[in-house]
Amino acid sequence: MRYCGISKSGFEASANKSRWWEYEISDFSQKFLPCDVLASIGLAQLRRLDELQQCRKKIWDIYQKELSGLSWLIRPTEAASNDKHSYFTYFIRVVNNKRDALAHYLLSKKIYTTLRFHPLHMNSIYKTQVHLPNSEQLNEEGLNLPLHPNLTSNDVDYIIESLKSFR
């Protein structure tokens, strides 16, 4: 599917038929082929997936514990015990209209934060007047803290100390 809706590559098809250059298009699709270098990196990272997820989970757990006493911050909820969590982001909510101030404060301490998912209905390209109060509230309160396997213990401690010192 990653190549214009063609279900099998020529190499795969050659094992099953003598005219491997003939192909079937099974669905409409765009061309989503990474270069060989990116594909190789992706395969190598997949082999490390469990290790990388454990690292993210460890950072998540530290954030959950250490940030529990901050009354102006709402931590993310834990996944249900039968769910598998990606630990892709650590999305906090900052109450009392202090999110922007916190983001600038952390940036001044060289800690980059972001709001990864801006509500689509608020993008001018869609030209919509729809009102989605929950999305809009999260847009004003939400902030993603750094969460990736390259964070060291010192990095995580620094982030937590910086959050605790915010006024």
Side-chain angles (χ1 to χ4, degrees), residues 10-56:
F11 181 78
E12 292 170 314
S14 68
N16 299 323
K17 64 182 185 179
S18 62
R19 296 174 60 122
W20 62 89
W21 54 88
E22 294 177 347
Y23 54 85
E24 290 291 321
I25 296 176
S26 57
D27 203 351
F28 295 104
S29 180
Q30 296 179 3
K31 187 175 179 181
F32 297 105
L33 289 176
C35 69
D36 289 347
V37 172
L38 292 178
S40 296
I41 291 169
L43 287 172
Q45 292 295 84
L46 278 174
R47 287 191 282 277
R48 296 183 57 215
L49 184 60
D50 290 340
E51 168 197 345
L52 297 172
Q53 285 301 93
Q54 288 173 3
C55 182
R56 287 176 175 274

Side-chain angles (χ1 to χ4, degrees), residues 74 91-97 99 115 136-143:
I74 301 171
F91 182 80
I92 61 172
R93 290 175 53 201
V94 183
V95 297
N96 300 328
N97 295 317
R99 191 273 313 269
L115 178 62
E136 292 163 16
Q137 181 180 1
L138 290 175
N139 186 60
E140 293 303 314
E141 295 178 351
L143 197 63

Side-chain angles (χ1 to χ4, degrees), residues 11-155:
F11 181 78
E12 292 170 314
S14 68
N16 299 323
K17 64 182 185 179
S18 62
R19 296 174 60 122
W20 62 89
W21 54 88
E22 294 177 347
Y23 54 85
E24 290 291 321
I25 296 176
S26 57
D27 203 351
F28 295 104
S29 180
Q30 296 179 3
K31 187 175 179 181
F32 297 105
L33 289 176
C35 69
D36 289 347
V37 172
L38 292 178
S40 296
I41 291 169
L43 287 172
Q45 292 295 84
L46 278 174
R47 287 191 282 277
R48 296 183 57 215
L49 184 60
D50 290 340
E51 168 197 345
L52 297 172
Q53 285 301 93
Q54 288 173 3
C55 182
R56 287 176 175 274
K57 169 91 168 85
K58 180 180 175 186
I59 296 166
W60 174 285
D61 289 343
I62 293 169
Y63 280 159
Q64 288 290 75
K65 178 183 176 203
E66 294 295 325
L67 302 179
S68 65
L70 300 178
S71 61
W72 50 267
L73 182 147
I74 301 171
R75 296 170 299 142
T77 57
E78 294 288 346
S81 61
N82 58 337
D83 291 339
K84 186 165 181 153
H85 199 298
S86 71
Y87 304 103
F88 176 63
T89 63
Y90 192 83
F91 182 80
I92 61 172
R93 290 175 53 201
V94 183
V95 297
N96 300 328
N97 295 317
K98 293 185 177 183
R99 191 273 313 269
D100 292 359
L102 175 62
H104 288 282
Y105 174 76
L106 293 173
L107 186 60
S108 75
K109 296 183 146 301
K110 308 288 189 236
I111 300 169
Y112 179 75
T113 59
T114 185
L115 178 62
R116 190 167 300 280
F117 303 106
H118 182 70
L120 290 178
H121 76 284
M122 296 178 73
N123 281 279
S124 60
I125 192 169
Y126 294 109
K127 296 179 175 72
T128 180
Q129 297 300 317
V130 69
H131 178 59
L132 301 172
N134 291 337
S135 294
E136 292 163 16
Q137 181 180 1
L138 290 175
N139 186 60
E140 293 303 314
E141 295 178 351
L143 197 63
N144 288 299
L145 297 181
L147 177 63
H148 55 82
N150 290 331
L151 288 175
T152 66
S153 294
N154 287 340
D155 294 335

